[in-house]
Amino acid sequence: MVLRTIPLRAVVSRAELGLEVKAGKSRLDRPICWAHVSELRDPVPYLLGQELLLTAGTNFPRTPAEIDAYVESLINAGVSALGFGVTPVYDVVPRELVKACRDRDLPLLAVPERTPFLAVSQAVGAALAEAQNAELRVIADGQRNLTRAATRPRPTETTVRSLATSLTGWAMLLDSDGAVVTRSGLAPEPTEDLLSLATRLRGGSGPRSASTHIGGDHVVLHPVDQSSVLIVGRNRAFSVGDRAVVAMALAMLGLLRRETDTSRGHASRLAARLLLAAGSAAESTGDHLAALLDNRAGQDYRVLAGVDVRRRNRGDVDGDFAQLVQLLGTPLVDLAGGSFRAIVSARSAPSPTALETLHKRGWLVGMSGVVGVADLRMAEREAVALRRRAAASGHPISADNESESVASLIDPAQARAFARRTLAPLAEIRSPGPAHLVETLRVWLANHGNWDRSAAALDVHRNSVRHRIGQIERALHVDLSQAQHRMDLWYAVNWLPQDWPDSQ
C-alpha cells in the first residue's frame, strides 16, 4: 500500500508549533506519513516507516551506547524524523541524542513545553489533508483541461500541449519509427537511449511503463498503443496526482489514435466519450459541458443509451450521427457500431414522441433520470439497463416511466445483491456463456415466453432459445411455468449490474 506523505518541512514551518531543528537540517524534505507517539524503549515493532516519532523521554535509554543503538534502530525501521518533547522528564534535549542524530543525519526536532504532541499530530494530519486536496485539484484541473484540448481542432497536438502545461514540464509523442509526432514545452531531441526504451515498450504487452533521467529531468515513458509512445519529463519527481493526469492523457490519446476517420462530429463524439468516462472528476468539466450543450442556465442532464434493433449494416456513420444529433437535440453522441450513448440537458431531453420516432428509425432507447454533472456515469449505467429492457420489450423506456412501478420501492443495493445471488449459478456455464443466458432470459420473459418472438429479437433459432431456457431452469432450479419464478427472475435480470459476472 502506498501511503500519502508530506515533506517534514511542511510541519517544521508551522510557526505556531515552535519546533526547533536540532539535527538533520539538510533532510527536511524527508517524507512523513504520520506522527506517532511512543515511550517504549524499543518502538520499532510498532512502526511502519516514514513516521515522525514523538517521545517525551519516559523510559528513554541513558548511556551514549544505548542512545546510539536507539537511533540506529529508528533509522533501520525507516523513521523519517524524531521529535523530543522537553519537560516533564527532560528540561532540554539530551546532548547524546543530538550527537547520535547528527552523526547519522536523522532529523531531530525539539518540541517545546507549550506544544502538546496532539498539536503536532494534528498539524501532520492537516498538512496531509492539504496535500491530498492539492492533488485532487491537480487531477480535476488536468482532467478538465485535457477534455477541452481533446475536443478542439488538431486534438492530438493540443492534448500533448495541455499535458505539458498541466505538469509544468514537457511532453512528446513518438510514432512507430521513433519520429516525433508532436511535442510541447522544452522537450529535448530523443536520444538513442530514449528511442531504445520506446522500442522496448512498443514490443511488450499489458500495462507497462519506463522511467529514466535526462539531465536533471525525471522522465516517464508510456505506450499509447502498439505504435506510439508518450514521453513526459520535468525537473522534479511525479506525484500520485501527476501520474493520474498522465493516465488520463494516455486514455485520451488512445481514443484519438484509434479514431482515424475525419467524419463529421468527430470532436463531439469524442467529447461524449470522455465526459462519460470522467467519473467523479466530471464535475470539474461542468462549465465545458454546459457550453457544449448551450446549457448555461441549467445544471441537470440525462444520458440516453440506444441500440440498433433492425440490425442493419450501418456503413453511413456520418448519416446516422447527423440523424441522432437532430432527433436527440445534442451534439454529444458517442456512436459505435450498432449502439450509441448521448448526453442531453434535462430541459431539452427528448419527449416520448421523439423516442418513438427514434424507434421507427430503428433505434430503441433507454433514457436515465435527471442527474447533476458529477453523476453522469451513474446515469449512463441506468440508461444502459433501461436500454436492455427496451430491447427486450420492444418499446423505448424512460426512467420517468419507471418512477411509479414496484421497482421504485426497492432499495437498489439490496436489489443488486438479490440479482447476483439469484443468477450466480449462470456464471459457471461457459456455453453459450452467462451474458447470453441472461439476455435470453430477459428477452424471453419480456415476450411472455413466446419462442418465435424471442428468437427474432435475439437473432437466433427458436431451438436455441428453448435450449438456453432449459439450461437456465436446471441451473437455477426453477420452473418458469410458475408466475412467481418468472417475476423473481424478471427483477433479477433487470437489476443485475452491468459488469456481471466480473462483479461477482
Side-chain angles (χ1 to χ4, degrees):
M1 178 178 64
V2 178
L3 298 175
R4 189 179 304 278
T5 63
I6 52 157
L8 177 60
R9 68 173 66 256
V11 181
V12 174
S13 63
R14 294 185 179 242
E16 70 274 13
L17 297 177
L19 302 178
E20 180 184 356
V21 182
K22 293 288 190 179
K25 291 184 179 181
S26 64
R27 305 296 302 278
L28 296 185
D29 286 328
R30 298 198 72 180
I32 300 295
C33 69
W34 197 242
H36 178 68
V37 180
S38 177
E39 301 297 343
L40 295 174
R41 178 68 69 97
D42 180 16
V44 168
Y46 306 96
L47 302 176
L48 297 174
Q50 297 188 321
E51 294 93 351
L52 167 57
L53 181 65
L54 301 172
T55 179
T58 303
N59 197 36
F60 200 71
R62 297 290 180 176
T63 68
E66 290 174 335
I67 293 175
D68 280 346
Y70 176 83
V71 172
E72 188 69 28
S73 69
L74 298 186
I75 292 172
N76 292 336
V79 169
S80 291
L82 177 64
F84 195 93
V86 296
T87 69
V89 181
Y90 289 85
D91 292 331
V92 296
V93 180
R95 287 178 299 175
E96 294 82 2
L97 178 59
V98 173
K99 182 180 183 303
C101 290
R102 284 177 177 170
D103 289 345
R104 293 165 178 78
D105 211 14
L106 175 69
L108 173 64
L109 311 178
V111 183
E113 180 182 3
R114 63 179 174 82
T115 302
F117 284 171
L118 179 59
V120 178
S121 295
Q122 288 176 335
V124 172
L128 286 167
E130 290 169 4
Q132 181 178 24
N133 290 335
E135 284 197 352
L136 291 175
R137 285 194 297 272
V138 166
I139 294 171
D141 290 345
Q143 194 274 339
R144 180 180 61 249
N145 294 334
L146 288 168
T147 300
R148 287 176 171 171
T151 57
R152 289 173 177 164
R154 303 175 70 180
T156 297
E157 178 180 325
T158 54
T159 297
V160 171
R161 183 167 60 245
S162 177
L163 175 62
T165 301
S166 295
L167 299 178
T168 319
W170 54 265
M172 73 172 80
L173 187 66
L174 303 183
D175 65 13
S176 57
D177 298 322
V180 176
V181 176
T182 183
R183 74 173 82 194
S184 184
L186 300 176
E189 287 295 327
T191 63
E192 288 298 323
D193 289 343
L194 209 56
L195 292 174
S196 176
L197 273 177
T199 300
R200 288 164 54 191
L201 285 176
R202 278 192 294 267
S205 62
R208 57 203 186 278
S209 63
S211 61
T212 186
H213 288 82
I214 297 179
D217 286 351
H218 297 261
V219 179
V220 293
L221 300 86
H222 294 273
V224 176
D225 49 31
Q226 294 301 314
S227 62
S228 56
V229 174
L230 175 68
I231 306 176
V232 184
R234 68 176 189 184
N235 60 7
R236 64 185 187 280
F238 294 93
S239 69
V240 174
D242 297 327
R243 293 183 182 277
V245 173
V246 173
M248 292 176 201
L250 283 168
M252 293 181 182
L253 288 170
L255 290 173
L256 290 168
R257 300 290 286 179
R258 288 195 298 271
E259 195 76 50
T260 57
D261 67 276
T262 56
S263 58
R264 185 170 60 181
H266 161 78
S268 296
R269 291 202 299 275
L270 182 61
R273 198 173 305 170
L274 296 175
L275 288 164
L276 288 171
S280 59
E283 193 163 10
S284 66
T285 63
D287 54 346
H288 182 48
L289 177 57
L292 286 169
L293 295 178
D294 192 23
N295 191 41
R296 294 178 180 83
Q299 298 292 327
D300 296 323
Y301 303 88
R302 291 180 187 262
V303 175
L304 297 96
V307 62
D308 172 13
V309 290
R310 296 186 183 181
R311 300 184 181 276
R312 301 190 301 267
N313 179 17
R314 293 187 174 273
D316 183 13
V317 176
D318 280 359
D320 284 336
F321 179 81
Q323 180 190 94
L324 288 169
V325 167
Q326 180 182 10
L327 291 171
L328 298 176
T330 175
L332 296 179
V333 178
D334 176 22
L335 176 63
S339 64
F340 74 84
R341 302 173 301 165
I343 306 171
V344 299
S345 66
R347 60 193 178 96
S348 60
S351 64
T353 301
L355 295 181
E356 288 294 345
T357 300
L358 272 170
H359 186 198
K360 293 176 182 177
R361 301 286 181 89
W363 298 98
L364 259 178
V365 176
M367 183 167 69
S368 77
V370 177
V371 298
V373 65
D375 294 321
L376 284 175
R377 288 186 71 178
M378 179 185 71
E380 181 202 10
R381 289 193 292 270
E382 181 183 29
V384 169
L386 292 174
R387 182 199 69 192
R388 288 174 174 169
R389 295 175 62 177
S393 65
H395 300 284
I397 297 178
S398 168
D400 298 335
N401 305 136
E402 301 294 295
S403 59
E404 299 302 324
S405 71
V406 175
S408 64
L409 305 177
I410 301 174
D411 176 75
Q414 293 181 354
R416 287 190 290 271
F418 167 77
R420 290 192 186 96
R421 184 171 61 251
T422 301
L423 300 175
L426 300 186
E428 304 302 320
I429 300 177
R430 295 301 167 215
S431 178
H436 288 295
L437 290 174
V438 168
E439 188 62 18
T440 299
L441 179 58
R442 179 186 288 108
V443 170
W444 186 82
L445 291 171
N447 285 282
H448 306 290
N450 187 289
W451 305 108
D452 291 325
R453 288 201 300 269
S454 299
L458 293 166
D459 198 24
V460 298
H461 194 277
R462 69 195 308 270
N463 288 344
S464 296
V465 180
R466 288 183 178 276
H467 176 68
R468 292 178 186 180
I469 294 299
Q471 284 182 292
I472 292 167
E473 286 186 309
R474 290 189 294 274
L476 301 183
H477 303 292
V478 296
D479 180 0
L480 288 175
S481 66
Q482 296 185 23
Q484 181 66 49
H485 290 172
R486 292 198 301 274
M487 182 180 70
D488 288 343
L489 292 179
W490 176 249
Y491 279 104
V493 295
N494 284 295
W495 279 107
L496 197 62
Q498 186 176 351
D499 57 351
W500 186 87
D502 294 336
S503 60
Q504 280 285 91

